[in-house]
Amino acid sequence: MSSIPTDQWYVAAYGREIGQELFSRTICGESILFWRTGAGEVTAMSDRCVHRRFPLSEAPSRLVDDQVVCGYHGFTYGADGRCVAVPGQTRVPRTARLKSYPTVERDSFVWVWIGDPAKADPAAVPRAPWLASPDYTTVSGMEPLKARFELLVDNLLDLSHETYLHGGYIGTPEVAATPTTTEVDDEAGIVYVSRHMDDAECPPFYAKSTGLTGRIMRWQDIEYSPPCLYKLHSRIAPVGVLPRPDGSDPDAFHVEVVYAITPETEHSTHDFWAVARDFALDDQGVSDFLAEQNRTVVLQDVAALDVLERVIASEPPGYQELSINIDTGGLAARRMLAKLVEPSAAPARTA
Amino acid sequence: MNVEPTRMLTGPGVLRVVWLPGSDLLRGTCHCGAAYLAEGPVEVWDWLLGHPVGHDAAAVDGAAELSAARR
Ligand code: FES
Ligand SMILES: [Fe+2]
Ligand SMILES: [Zn+2]
C-alpha cells in the first residue's frame, strides 16, 4: 500500500518555474503538465495524451494560444484539459479530456491537489507568508532526493542531527544537547517541536549573516503541517536578549526556514527549501551566502538520505529501529502521516 | 536560564511532551490534564494516545509518585 497521503495539497513548483511554456513534474507518482495561461493563471493537467499516452510536455508537443497540441497526432487541449480538436474528423469524443488538477498559487509556491478534486479546499493550503512578504528577503531552491519523503520528515523533525551531519555549517554541540518540547494538535494537523538554546555557540550560518560574534540565544521552533509543509522559526539573539513584554522582538534576528516535502514517487522526493530573513534585507552578499550555505546543508542531508534509502529499500520490511528522546517529534509526525493515509486505522503504535 | 519553552499550540486537543531539562525523562500531558512520566518517546506516545485509559486522577498521582521515585 502506498504511504503517500492523498486528498492533500502538495507544493509542485515555485511560481517562477512556470511560465507560458510547457512544464512537467511528477507529483505523488502522477505526471503533471503545468503552464501559465495568457491571463497569468497556472493550470495543471495530466501530462499524458488520452490518445496514445504521448507526453504533452515532450517536443514536438507545443503550446499555442492557451492550447496544448500533442506532438504525436495533434490532439489539442484547452486550459481546462478538455480536448477541442482531433485530426481528420470534426467529432471530438466526449470522453477526450485530460485529468485536470486544482491548483493554488500562494506564498511563492504553486500547490497542486492530489486526490478527489471535489474535496480540494484552497483555504486549507498551509501558509508560509514570509516567502512573499516585503518585510523579508528570501532565497530558495529545490533539490531532488532519491529517498522516500518519510526520511526527509524524520530528518527535519529531529534537528539534533545538525550537530553531526552539519557541523561547521549550522550544527553546534548545543543542538544535540538541548532538550525539546513537543506538541501535537491532531485537529489542526500540526506537530510542533521547540528547542530553546539560551547560551550557545553561533554557527557560521548565523555568525556571518547576522554579524553576531560570541555566544547567542538560538531558538528553533518547528511547525510541521503534514504532509507537505515544514517551517522552522529560527530566532537568533545575543545571550539574555528576550522578546519584549508586548510580544515584539526588535533586538533579535529571525530566519524562517521553510521546506516543502513533496513525494515524487514512493522512493523519491522534491526537497523544496527556502530561507527568509528579517534583517540585511538588501544585502546581496548575505543572500548569496545564505543560499550557498543552505543549499550545501540540504545537499548534506540529500547525500545521507539517498544512502539511507538504498539501505532501507534493500532490507525486508519490519526492520527494527530504536527511538530515543530526540525522536519524540518525529514519531508524532509519523503517526499523523499514518492517519492521513489510513484514517480508520486505530491509533498506531508510534515505534 | 534554560526556561522550558512556553506552550505554543492552543487548541483544545493538544498533547504535550516535555523533555525535562537535566533528566532523560519525558513528561506527557494529555488534553484532559492527566500527566505521565516516561523513559522514552514510544512509551509516552502510547500513554497519551491511549486516552482515556489510565488518565483518571489515580494515574496522575501514580505518575507523580513515579516521578518522585525516580528523582
Ligand atoms: S498520442 Fe497524442 S495525439 Fe496521438
Ligand atoms: Fe539536515
Ligand atoms: Zn487523557
Side-chain angles (χ1 to χ4, degrees):
Chain A
M1 195 188 74
S2 171
S3 62
I4 299 175
T6 54
D7 291 339
Q8 298 291 335
W9 291 103
Y10 287 97
V11 169
Y14 291 104
R16 63 174 185 255
E17 293 184 280
I18 298 178
Q20 282 176 7
E21 51 194 55
L22 300 172
F23 175 91
S24 178
R25 186 162 279 160
T26 299
I27 308 293
C28 301
E30 305 191 22
S31 292
I32 304 179
L33 178 73
F34 298 88
W35 82 80
R36 202 176 280 280
T37 66
E41 294 287 309
V42 173
T43 180
M45 60 198 69
S46 168
D47 188 25
R48 296 289 180 266
C49 182
V50 298
H51 179 228
R52 289 294 181 267
R53 310 285 300 156
F54 191 76
L56 296 165
S57 59
E58 205 65 42
S61 299
R62 64 194 194 281
L63 190 61
V64 183
D65 299 336
D66 283 352
Q67 295 185 337
V68 60
V69 183
C70 180
Y72 195 1
H73 315 92
F75 273 50
T76 301
Y77 304 90
D80 59 358
R82 191 178 289 279
C83 182
V84 294
V86 298
Q89 63 181 61
T90 52
R91 191 183 61 82
V92 176
R94 257 195 324 264
T95 54
R97 179 174 198 135
L98 299 170
K99 173 175 181 180
S100 76
Y101 295 82
T103 60
V104 170
E105 193 166 6
R106 194 168 288 165
D107 303 329
S108 84
F109 291 130
V110 173
W111 293 81
V112 66
W113 177 260
I114 301 296
D116 177 359
K119 294 184 186 159
D121 174 10
V125 171
R127 301 299 308 265
W130 316 279
L131 305 190
S133 162
D135 300 331
Y136 286 75
T137 297
T138 301
V139 294
S140 59
M142 192 275 272
E143 314 303 330
L145 175 64
K146 291 199 269 313
R148 63 197 70 187
F149 79 99
E150 297 103 306
L151 294 184
L152 185 53
V153 174
D154 277 351
N155 172 278
L156 290 171
L157 267 290
D158 169 20
L159 295 181
S160 72
H161 81 270
E162 289 183 350
T163 301
Y164 300 93
L165 198 53
H166 307 306
Y169 293 85
I170 54 174
T172 71
E174 295 85 5
V175 184
T178 305
T180 54
T181 291
T182 304
E183 292 178 348
V184 170
D185 187 336
D186 262 329
E187 203 170 319
I190 297 175
V191 177
Y192 201 105
V193 181
S194 188
R195 175 182 273 114
H196 287 191
M197 296 165 267
D198 288 325
D199 182 1
E201 195 181 305
C202 191
F205 186 86
Y206 289 117
K208 290 213 180 114
S209 57
T210 65
L212 285 181
T213 52
R215 313 252 327 156
I216 56 167
M217 301 187 95
R218 180 181 183 189
W219 292 358
Q220 298 177 319
D221 285 88
I222 295 167
E223 203 177 338
Y224 174 47
S225 305
C228 190
L229 194 67
Y230 169 99
K231 298 174 278 195
L232 167 61
H233 314 294
S234 179
R235 178 187 186 272
I236 304 295
V239 170
V241 173
L242 292 166
R244 304 214 175 145
D246 65 0
S248 68
D249 195 17
D251 306 314
F253 299 86
H254 301 91
V255 180
E256 299 288 342
V257 186
V258 178
Y259 285 82
I261 305 164
T262 301
E264 178 187 42
T265 67
E266 292 283 343
H267 299 279
S268 59
T269 303
H270 304 296
D271 184 348
F272 294 89
W273 58 267
V275 178
R277 66 180 190 272
D278 72 348
F279 55 92
L281 295 185
D282 299 319
D283 190 328
Q284 189 60 41
V286 171
S287 291
D288 293 344
F289 172 75
L290 288 177
E292 185 273 324
Q293 284 270 306
N294 204 69
R295 180 162 186 273
T296 301
V297 163
V298 169
L299 290 175
Q300 288 168 340
D301 285 323
V302 165
L305 298 182
D306 284 359
V307 168
L308 195 50
E309 172 65 34
R310 289 200 296 275
V311 168
I312 289 174
S314 72
E315 292 184 354
Y319 49 81
Q320 270 299 321
E321 287 180 313
L322 178 66
S323 294
I324 62 170
N325 287 359
I326 54 173
D327 302 304
T328 304
L331 293 184
R334 285 186 185 184
R335 183 188 64 92
M336 219 178 256
L337 287 168
K339 275 182 73 172
L340 292 179
V341 172
E342 191 53 81
S344 58
R349 277 185 57 88
T350 37
Chain B
M1 46 196 109
N2 220 347
V3 184
E4 175 192 309
T6 48
R7 179 174 285 274
M8 300 308 298
L9 301 182
T10 52
V14 172
L15 306 177
R16 191 157 203 263
V17 179
V18 177
W19 178 346
L20 296 178
S23 83
D24 291 340
L25 295 175
L26 300 175
R27 186 185 66 220
T29 306
C30 182
H31 54 76
C32 73
Y36 180 82
L37 227 53
E39 282 183 338
V42 174
E43 182 190 353
V44 83
W45 287 124
D46 278 350
W47 182 84
L48 284 167
L49 299 169
H51 171 90
V53 179
H55 285 215
D56 50 21
V60 179
D61 293 347
E65 276 165 30
L66 186 61
S67 155
R70 280 175 183 171
R71 266 152 206 278

